[in-house]
Amino acid sequence: MGGAREASGQGPSSLFLFSKDNFIRRTTRIIIQWPPFEYAVLLTIIANCVVLALEEHLPNHDKTMLAQQLEKTEAYFLGIFCVEASLKILALGFVLHRGSYLRNIWNIMDFFVVLTGFLTMFPQEIVAVDLRTLRAIRVLRPLKLVSGIPSLQVVLKSIIKAMAPLLQIGLLVLFAIVIFAIIGLEFYSGALHRTCYSLHDIDVIVKEGDLAAPCNTDNQSQAELQGSNWCRDGNSVCLERWQGPNNGITSFDNIGFAMLTVFQCITMEGWTSILYWMNDAVGSYFNWMYFVPLIVLGSFFMLNLVLGVLSGEFAKEREKVENRQEFLKLRRAAQLERELNGYVQWICKAEEVILAEERTTEEEKMHIMEARRRAAKKKKLKKMGKSKSTDTEEEEQEEDLGDDGFGRAGYMKTRAQGPGGCATFWRAEKRFRFAIRHAVKTQCFYWSVIVLVFFNTVCVAVEYHGQPEWLTDFLYYAEYAFLGLFMLEMFVKMYALGPRIYFESAFNRFDCVVISGSIFEVIWSEVKGGSFGLSVLRALRLLRIFKVTKYWSSLRNLVISLLNSMRSIISLLFLLFLFILIFALLGMQLFGGQFNFEGGTPPTNFNTFPIALLTVFQILTGEDWNEVMYYGIEALGGHKTGMVYSLYFIILMLFGNYTLLNVFLAIAVDNLANAQELTAAEEEQAEENKEKQALELEKEMEALQMEGNPRLEVTPSSPMRGRKKKDDKPPDEEEIVGPKPMLPYSSMFILSPTNPVRKGAHWVVNLRYFDFFIMIVICLSSIALACENPVEEASWMNKFLNNFDYAFTGVFAIEMFLKIVDLGIILHPGSYLREFWNLMDAVVVICALVSIGYDLTGAEGVNNLSTIKSLRVLRVLRPLKTIKRVPKLKAVFDCLVNSLKNVINILIVYILFQFIFAVIAVQLFNGKFFHCTDASKFTESTCQGQYFVYEEDSDVPRIENREWKLQSFHYDDVAMAMLTLFAVQTGEGWPQVLQNSMAATYEDQGPIQNFRIEMSIFYIVYFVVFPFFFVNIFVALIIITFQEQGEAELQSGEIDKNQKSCIDFTIQARPLERYMPNKRNSFKYKIWRVVVSTPFEYFIMMLIVFNTLLLMMKHDGQTEIYTNTLKYLNWGFTSMFTVECILKILAFGVRNFFKDPWNTFDFITVIGSIVDAMVVEFGENFINVGFLRLFRAARLIKLLRQGYTIRILLWTFVQSFKALPYVCLLIAMLFFIYAIIGMQVFGNIAENPLESINRHNNFRNFIQGLMLLFRCATGESWPSIMLSCIKGQPCDEKSEKDPNSCGSNLAYGYFVSFIFFCSFLMLNLFVAVIMDNFDYLTRDSSILGAHHLDEFVRIWAEYDPNATGKILYQEMYDMLKNMDPPLGFGNKCPNRLAYKKLIRMNMPMDADGKVNFTTTLFALIRENLAIKMRPADEMDQADDELRETIKIIWPLQAKNMVNLLVPATDELNNGKMSVGKIYAGLLILESWRTTRFGQTEAPGGNQGFGNSPSANHAAMELQDVLGSRRPSVDSMGETHLHPAGYPNTVRRSPSIRHCYSPTLQRSPSPRRKAPHHLHHDIGFSDTVSNVVEIVKYEQHKASQKHHRSGRGEFLGSWSASTSPARSPSPTNGGRPSHYGSRLSTLRQTRRGGAYGTTSLCQRSRSPSPTHPVPHQHGPPTIACAVVGLPMHHSAAHLASVQHSHPMLGSRRGQGRRLPPTPCKPSTLQLRPGPINFPKLNASPTHLNTQMQSHSAHATPHSSVNMSRVDQQMQQQPQLQQQQQPPPLRDSLRDMVSTSAPASQRDTGQTPLSFEQAMAIGRGGRVLPSPVPNGYKPKPTRSRHSDSDDDDWC
């Protein structure tokens, strides 16, 4: 089925047969592009889905009649899809050219579906395939719907875009799963196969509760030692012949099972049962060390990363789409505006003409003028009306309404035209109407309506099951009353406002809908009788409470932004629905009719479409997905063959739960951020308005006072004052470093501040160690609390601890007393009870004292036992006292409290919605949740007596009593309904509630399974509104608040979060040591060479991978040979790793080896592995060293240091862990407090294997309590635990209490509050911290972030292996070129640009010319992120500010570091050498060489240094660079010429677009003269003068004196014009070559007058340096920077051939030396010495005389102008020969001339045309070419071109 051959130039042919113009192909093309065709296909797909959904799957592949008929339609569908595919193939071609059929992803899918469809049509005998799986592929068809809906594509795109970072995280998760699976395999392999078998019948398993439990041994004492399980009933024996829990699916028997089990734990479903089984099987002491980290790392960390990535990507994608729409909108608007303006102008012109004409009458002129005036007035009004508030909205709309019969005027007009008599009536009516309208607008009316709504709400809420008759009647009539009142309100409003205005308000429309719904429902229930469930609509009236939100701007904004994102939410819901649909159909194909077990079909199955949808939805919510998976595997072959089906469930979890549902959160985060921006903007607006009003008031007041009313001193505090007041407060707190002064008030009216008692108390309280002592006491008392025994209250331990408790209470009481004496009680500011923490202390202490009092009095306190107990529970709050005393903890706590403040806003809406749903649920399910224990009875009257229960294993049935019970979660009253819904919303146990709801029949009747499946819609809506949405908004709020809190700290310091993390890194970074033996020929060096070589690294890498595979090969029940093979292989690997370790120790030496933490890790691993091997071989019994097996798995972790992205991910991981300790401390405190309360209140409940309080899960001691709470925090069936703790539970025998008096109804509040705090707040703080740290995953990668900086440390180590922290500045240049952007310059960066960056960075150098590690890194970050970069003259100030900022944010580290980070000013001037000066010298030299002055030996013409454009250029460039970093030009003359403005050329991203921002295109402007004093004594200018002098000296020996005399003047006037930011720069050249031979010819040609082109065309054949010249460590001198600079043969410098140094040419053999120093001693000591050449890469020579223009929009005529300039140049040489060189002074004066236009800069020949001048001005580049003869080769671009288009860094 061919492809695309070019058919006679007609475009690609289709299938090699049909050319473009072929009739058949044309027709097919028309058909497939015809819209109805597309719709027909979509309709077919939908029909096919319907057909698939109608199938019902019966056991053993039976079929209903319907299903058989539906199967016949399959052929027709297949036919239609086949026709569609073949038409498309004909029209588009098959695969071989662009745009053909199979090049589109949807078409590939279609084609696949059609092909597989054909396979299923063949009878089974011909094609031996599994029909079911092939059929399953049909379900992919609905996916085609996606391609038809545009808003779906935003969501899909953002999900697809997020796939790349998600894959990295996926790999990390997979890695974690593999490591945990291998550890599990080592420890738990085969552990779950022992259980208790009955001694009576050895094949019968003895169950504990409902399920069999694993056991370890029959020996009770041995089992208790390990904490494992033994056979407790005495009639059973522990044997290893069980297949394991869940029919053997849950186990660690081989790597596959282990990975599945670990994945199941990570999803937090059913992990506790696995933990409990393991406790039973191997002992409970160490298992938590495996499972808890698994949950924390896997669930809380890894899976939350997914969330962070998704939300970032989503926000980016949505922004893109929005920006595009915005742009299109603006473009349309602009187009309209243009057309309109043209039209208006045309009319105005016409008017002008009419006005000017003589025949126009005065009247007409007046008319025109009047119209204009009116228009102007309207415009003005329109401007003013923009800022009207929401309250006046309605009135203004009313007044604007014209004559449409509803507005005031129109209404009057229509009526007043009637007969005269009625006119008075209408007038009266109008007045009446105005009065009513006025009344409707009052606050009074508004609030009375709200109160009515509130009463209505109360009436709705009091309904409950089994209420008395009178209440029912009262509610019935109240309903009518309220309905009447609300209707009245609606009609009154409608009358007063007029229907049109009434319906303009969204709230009114909403009211109207609700009221009409209520009316309909009342009529319905009267006529039909019995509620139809429509009474739900009543509850919606509560939404009127939202009216209050008109004043809650933040809430309103949230609602607005949610409504704005409704499209993305709805499209996401549609995508979710499609996803559920496809998986439900797939599940029906795979598992339909298969779930048939002995106990019947489970309620979650795939037999019919609605049930399959619900099952998939349940798996999506993550609840009990593992149970469904067990059923699926068991149904299709058990754990031997059916394991492959687990993939269905895993994919469903990964894509549905972790990807799609997290997009909801992404949308929520996005919206909240939007809403908060809106709110902030509104608040700012309000503030501004207030300030304006205040200012006006002040002015008026002043005016009044001026009139002579001096008593009026009532000036309101202006905002400035208010701010000052705020600013004054903090210093007071900070100033007190010594002892706090005593409060100047008398304490308790008795003790004055001078009283000795009070002074003593004050002294004690402020002792240095007083707080510390109290902290220790708090810790001890907390430990004592944790040690109590809640079961036996009279045990010796409790008595012992009680005495301690008295002591602790005494200490706290004394502390409180002292503080009260010192501070006073409450009446004055600063007194004891004015602080919240002290109040809490006081309550705790007083309660403790009261309970002690009861204890000591003894007898009469017995009856108040429970009160005492509750008082004692309050001691738990003691740990909270530590919060106040640890500042960082307090910061986290404040952040939590602040986020709570933010959350309250949403919490109210949340509770309201929860309430509405609860009321609806009460209406729907009130009294329908009863059931009889005997499932065959349906009413309470028949549910009497006893019934038989038959069990599988016994022949005799058991007799039980029938009981009529209520389900534990029900909807009989609103409070219980809210609790049930809260449980549903946390996703725990909701499938059971769903089944009960679908089975609910009628009031007071029993359930029938799936009686009303449509009830599930209620839950699905609830899930979408709550868990998917509201909860996500919570999470989002906490995340955003947390981020804001983090940024709030930095606001004072003026640096953002990213900059802070970068500086953090810099402060902590130290250079790495790379050890290298010094003796080259030693044995040690040879080993070292091997060890550090790449092949060796790869070899070790392969070893680790193979070792991992080896560890994965272990399985349970392996043969002896297999076990031995694995053992010997393990020895092999261990020995290889040992050899590696020994080699490394030999190569590095012991000390250096252990410097690297990875090496230490390797060493420990190797030692551990050796010991492990020894133990396995020789001493199995002498010690149980199970933990040694961990060392086998530990090698895996070495894999992590290989991949770059993984390394960054890990680094960030560690960072976020560093941010977590205080969050963790808070969580720990929460757990501690709740665990202690749990122990005190629920500790004595009896254990019952059938209940949730059993031997694994209880509050018996502190550790158990913590585990139970941890389990609740992961959401593992907390509702059932809660129900096991409520009042009336059986008590433990040891507690000596009444049998059923344990437990407490506190349980409801206890668990709900714990779940709320824990899962909503605490765990979300985790998420917040993670998202904060991982935001770089989705950020623009060109922005430098802390994760890039590791590379700097690594690359520095290559240049500074001994970690001295210093390298030569040339090496530093080389290093920065080798680092990729955004950190370094990158190797494509032109030299000139790199020089400029270095000048701005300007690190100081020591005497050896070396730069410091920290200083360089910081300068690099500062330059990159523009941290306080300013123009040169402000840099000193900026440095000081930055110093202060660093001292504030890092008070401890700053003391030693601040001078390294921001070098002091005196290190950079006063004759000190710095990098900036050297590279400035290089830059000047390079620019100077490009001038004509540098190229010819002053042949004449008024062409001195000053006038040459490129000299100006150099100056411009330098000044530019100086714009943002220190070395500035010293001015010796009076005036210092400054550019008009410094374009600050800090660039962040390498994107070329940035380089040409329009601000930089400045034309040469007249330069201002401004007296300017500069701050460097000796600095830059001296350097410059030296450079210039040396080179001048070489070239102009004749005019030496001349120059020297001119020097001062020259420096004084060193000027700079405002230049474009960057100029073309020479790239890397080679070394100076042998120019000597060529010089003579050049001189001859010069004398001869006619220039020969030959010399130009010759390329300088200099050898390019391949190897860098070794550096000598001499003192760096500026001279070496100058002469050592290689000649560049690049575009702009072609003429460098002419200006090469004669000195160098002639002295080649003598080893380069400096030219003799000029007579006048230079300020820099130039010691003669060998020259260090900076390492520079060679660049290909290329001739490019055209100076590229700077701007991205290089003018097209620049090239044209070049030729003109060239022609002028041809005329110049002759002139130049005739003229004498003028004195330098003139040329300098020229250079300074205020504004020399470009034309005069030329030699005075024909001035340039306007366009040329423009081109020069615009580009700052198109200067007259220094190349004579008009020789103009084509501009060639080499890879290192020197144009600015390649400014890569």
Side-chain angles (χ1 to χ4, degrees), residues 473-530:
D473 293 345
F474 169 73
L475 290 178
Y476 179 72
Y477 293 118
E479 181 56 39
Y480 278 102
F482 282 121
L483 185 56
L485 284 169
F486 287 132
M487 280 167 70
L488 179 69
E489 180 227 11
M490 178 170 85
F491 289 133
V492 165
K493 267 193 166 176
M494 222 179 256
Y495 170 65
L497 300 175
R500 173 161 159 205
I501 296 171
Y502 178 81
F503 282 113
E504 266 181 3
S505 152
F507 271 119
N508 290 346
R509 282 191 298 239
F510 174 68
D511 277 355
C512 187
V513 170
V514 171
I515 290 171
S516 1
S518 299
I519 295 171
F520 164 72
E521 198 239 338
V522 165
I523 296 170
W524 178 274
S525 60
E526 282 304 307
V527 176
K528 289 277 187 184

Side-chain angles (χ1 to χ4, degrees), residues 1404-1423:
M1405 296 177 358
D1406 62 5
D1408 303 331
K1410 293 187 171 185
V1411 290
N1412 184 296
F1413 171 80
T1414 312
T1415 317
T1416 308
L1417 179 54
F1418 186 76
L1420 202 56
I1421 292 170
R1422 189 174 173 186
E1423 153 74 4

